[in-house]
Amino acid sequence: MSLAVPLLVGLIVLGLVLTLLAPRRISVRRQLEPYVVSDHRAERSSVAVPSRAYALAESAVGRLRIHGHLAATVARAGIDVPLGAIVCVTVGAGVAGFLIGMSVAGVGIGLLLGVGGIAGPWLVLSARGRRRDRAFEQQLPEILDTL
């Protein structure tokens, strides 16, 4: 019974991470939204975490003075998800990794899995960003030839 709870939490966090990092097509309207003047803006929240948690997570990241770097990583990966949502998933993955590691092998392994859970989503985002940059660089000569 004591092992079932951390495993269930880990599966839920894994599902959230996979849902969050799934490739999504960004619509043209959403890409042009910053440049178009409108009276009402669509709610950008597309993940089940409340927007208040997003705001708290983003303010915590802002206080650590790493907001710009993390926002650039998310933008480079091409993911249309608020930074606060990714921070919430990262914290959840770290806590789940710690709980699973601690219940299976002790505190040391729990700490290692917790750090891995925190670093994992950011490593995936940076890998997606590098892949996207390479694809752009491969297409750039063709685009310049058509001009």
Side-chain angles (χ1 to χ4, degrees):
M1 179 66 181
S2 65
L3 182 62
V5 173
L7 289 177
L8 181 63
V9 169
L11 288 174
I12 290 171
V13 169
L14 178 65
L16 285 173
V17 168
L18 292 177
T19 302
L20 184 65
L21 298 179
R24 292 194 175 127
R25 298 209 180 262
I26 301 173
S27 68
V28 174
R29 181 176 290 174
R30 194 170 262 178
Q31 285 180 340
L32 294 176
E33 184 177 292
Y35 308 105
V36 178
V37 178
S38 73
D39 294 334
H40 62 287
R41 293 200 174 223
E43 182 67 29
R44 296 194 67 177
S45 175
S46 62
V47 183
V49 179
S51 61
R52 177 81 175 134
Y54 292 163
L56 288 174
E58 284 197 43
S59 69
V61 168
R63 277 183 260 142
L64 293 174
R65 296 184 179 150
I66 56 173
H67 186 275
H69 175 69
L70 298 181
T73 303
V74 171
R76 226 177 104 209
I79 295 178
D80 189 31
V81 175
L83 179 62
I86 294 174
V87 170
C88 288
V89 168
T90 301
V91 169
V95 169
F98 175 74
L99 291 175
I100 290 171
M102 198 165 120
S103 66
V104 171
V107 176
I109 300 298
L111 288 174
L112 286 175
L113 288 178
V115 168
I118 290 172
W122 296 106
L123 292 174
V124 170
L125 285 176
S126 64
R128 283 187 67 164
R130 282 192 305 272
R131 187 176 352 147
R132 192 169 176 229
D133 287 345
R134 276 193 304 256
F136 177 76
E137 289 173 0
Q138 289 175 352
Q139 293 173 354
L140 185 61
E142 294 174 13
I143 293 171
L144 292 176
D145 286 342
T146 60
L147 293 177

